[in-house]
Amino acid sequence: MAERTSPAVELEIGDRTVRISNPDRVYFPARGETKLDLARYYLAVGDGIVRALRNRPCMLHRFPTGVTGEKVHQKRLPHGAPDWVRTVRVHFPRWNRHADELCVTHVADVVWAVQMSTVEFHPWNSRCTDVEQPDEWRIDLDPMPQASFADVRRVAGVVQEVLDGIGAVGWPKTSGGKGLHVYVRIEPHWGFTDVRRAAHAFAVEVARRAGDLVDLTWWRKDRDPKSIFVDYNQNARDHTIRSAYSVRGVPEAVVSTPVRWDEIADVDPREFTIATVPARFAELGDVHTGIDDAVFLLDELLEWADRDPR
């Protein structure tokens, strides 16, 4: 039987209009949220999602029939974009190809991407002004299968301690899964290789202080299944992870949500969904509001890397 379609809905977003077709299509079956619910969620957290994506090349994870259907990883901007949607051209040396990726400047860009069935937004850690020099260092606390979120919390405490020691400000968020991400704004003076070297040096120090809680073994199959991997490789070129305020493509519509350090002890990542985060945002605003003003220089971490060539 053919799917019954509902009339399209037009959303007025500032001076822009985005048409949402099939607004009643269920994208998230756990509670029945629809494509239109997803668009309205992103409008509710508009300042936050734009801050997370602004002027960054962005890969889209699209689910044309909802999150239980086919998943499309899309680097190139889908066809049919309005003339106000910006792109940035990215070169991929391995294949000697390029892609014109979405470059968000306005919340209407995000909602248009939802119209094109995007659920997840995966931005680069560099900006369109110079794609090859990141301005964001990403600390990804990735729990192995037998590790708990309580273990992630303990490693996050060590991360905060090391960041404080080097004078860096970290901005934590839930991953949308079982992990935790911490972002640090950096001066865009270094390429991806050096940012990854600095991230590795930091991970080594976290592992030294955290003991058996952290395992930096490269191959996942060789790691202690009860450990946390501090994934420094998320800072390599063209490695992207779900942005702050991005929904995860799962039936429960979990959100990768910014949190304060003092919340981590009690936070349950499963409670952050498109049904709950808008009220939190309305009450607290974007708890990452100051991220662009807290810029760190990587010199000390690169000195650590030079001292320990591993």
Side-chain angles (χ1 to χ4, degrees), residues 194-226:
D194 280 336
V195 174
R196 182 178 177 278
R197 286 177 62 234
H200 179 256
F202 180 87
V204 168
E205 179 61 17
V206 170
R208 185 185 71 80
R209 299 191 194 191
D212 293 341
L213 269 175
V214 171
D215 188 343
L216 296 183
T217 303
W218 178 251
W219 295 110
R220 187 179 184 89
K221 64 180 179 62
D222 296 330
R223 292 178 204 141
D224 181 343
K226 298 179 180 178

Side-chain angles (χ1 to χ4, degrees), residues 38-117:
L38 180 63
R40 287 175 171 161
Y41 160 76
Y42 279 121
L43 286 173
V45 298
D47 288 347
I49 188 68
V50 171
R51 181 172 289 108
L53 300 177
R54 189 186 303 278
N55 291 329
R56 300 187 184 280
C58 188
M59 185 171 74
L60 309 176
H61 288 196
R62 299 173 56 234
F63 296 81
T65 60
V67 300
T68 57
E70 178 190 13
K71 180 180 183 178
V72 180
H73 295 236
Q74 184 142 357
K75 294 179 184 290
R76 291 175 174 82
L77 189 76
H79 294 299
D83 57 11
W84 39 259
V85 174
R86 291 182 56 195
T87 61
V88 54
R89 178 159 292 190
V90 178
H91 183 246
F92 300 99
R94 182 176 178 182
W95 299 281
N96 194 27
R97 295 179 181 175
H98 68 266
D100 294 322
E101 297 196 12
L102 174 66
C103 187
V104 166
T105 61
H106 191 286
V107 69
D109 305 338
V110 176
V111 177
W112 177 81
V114 170
Q115 158 58 14
M116 303 307 291
S117 70

Side-chain angles (χ1 to χ4, degrees), residues 274-309:
I274 65 171
T276 63
V277 170
R280 171 183 169 86
F281 193 90
E283 178 184 356
L284 301 178
D286 180 10
V287 298
H288 280 191
T289 295
I291 190 170
D292 290 318
D293 300 322
V295 181
F296 177 67
L297 293 170
L298 292 178
D299 299 87
E300 182 175 357
L301 289 179
L302 290 171
E303 290 175 6
W304 292 5
D306 290 338
R307 288 200 300 266
D308 184 356

Side-chain angles (χ1 to χ4, degrees), residues 5-306:
T5 58
S6 48
V9 172
E10 289 193 345
L11 298 177
E12 302 296 330
I13 306 170
D15 60 351
R16 302 173 187 186
T17 302
V18 179
R19 181 178 182 272
I20 304 294
S21 61
N22 301 316
D24 294 336
R25 175 174 288 163
V26 174
Y27 267 41
F28 307 99
R31 288 182 306 274
E33 286 112 343
T34 64
K35 184 179 182 181
L36 183 59
D37 291 329
L38 180 63
R40 287 175 171 161
Y41 160 76
Y42 279 121
L43 286 173
V45 298
D47 288 347
I49 188 68
V50 171
R51 181 172 289 108
L53 300 177
R54 189 186 303 278
N55 291 329
R56 300 187 184 280
C58 188
M59 185 171 74
L60 309 176
H61 288 196
R62 299 173 56 234
F63 296 81
T65 60
V67 300
T68 57
E70 178 190 13
K71 180 180 183 178
V72 180
H73 295 236
Q74 184 142 357
K75 294 179 184 290
R76 291 175 174 82
L77 189 76
H79 294 299
D83 57 11
W84 39 259
V85 174
R86 291 182 56 195
T87 61
V88 54
R89 178 159 292 190
V90 178
H91 183 246
F92 300 99
R94 182 176 178 182
W95 299 281
N96 194 27
R97 295 179 181 175
H98 68 266
D100 294 322
E101 297 196 12
L102 174 66
C103 187
V104 166
T105 61
H106 191 286
V107 69
D109 305 338
V110 176
V111 177
W112 177 81
V114 170
Q115 158 58 14
M116 303 307 291
S117 70
T118 301
V119 173
E120 300 187 10
F121 293 85
H122 289 240
W124 284 47
N125 59 341
S126 59
R127 310 238 191 195
C128 62
T129 48
D130 191 340
V131 170
E132 301 303 327
Q133 292 192 293
D135 75 332
E136 188 168 81
W137 156 33
R138 296 171 176 175
I139 303 163
D140 178 7
L141 305 186
D142 181 13
M144 295 302 100
Q146 296 178 31
S148 66
F149 194 70
D151 297 324
V152 173
R153 289 189 182 104
R154 286 193 282 272
V155 176
V158 178
V159 166
Q160 185 182 23
E161 175 186 290
V162 180
L163 288 173
D164 287 347
I166 59 176
V169 180
W171 303 82
K173 69 181 182 70
T174 61
S175 68
K178 297 179 179 179
L180 195 74
H181 301 153
V182 181
Y183 287 178
V184 180
R185 281 289 184 271
I186 57 174
E187 286 285 354
H189 291 168
W190 298 274
F192 290 99
T193 299
D194 280 336
V195 174
R196 182 178 177 278
R197 286 177 62 234
H200 179 256
F202 180 87
V204 168
E205 179 61 17
V206 170
R208 185 185 71 80
R209 299 191 194 191
D212 293 341
L213 269 175
V214 171
D215 188 343
L216 296 183
T217 303
W218 178 251
W219 295 110
R220 187 179 184 89
K221 64 180 179 62
D222 296 330
R223 292 178 204 141
D224 181 343
K226 298 179 180 178
S227 69
I228 309 299
F229 180 53
V230 182
D231 191 356
Y232 51 89
N233 206 47
Q234 295 294 2
N235 296 279
R237 190 182 191 274
D238 193 29
H239 280 227
T240 61
I241 51 180
R242 206 173 292 111
S243 77
Y245 299 103
S246 175
V247 181
R248 186 181 178 201
V250 294
E252 298 77 15
V254 181
V255 173
S256 180
T257 304
V259 293
R260 301 186 307 265
W261 284 106
D262 62 3
E263 293 183 285
I264 291 175
D266 301 311
V267 75
D268 182 348
R270 296 169 297 182
E271 295 179 354
F272 294 134
T273 71
I274 65 171
T276 63
V277 170
R280 171 183 169 86
F281 193 90
E283 178 184 356
L284 301 178
D286 180 10
V287 298
H288 280 191
T289 295
I291 190 170
D292 290 318
D293 300 322
V295 181
F296 177 67
L297 293 170
L298 292 178
D299 299 87
E300 182 175 357
L301 289 179
L302 290 171
E303 290 175 6
W304 292 5
D306 290 338

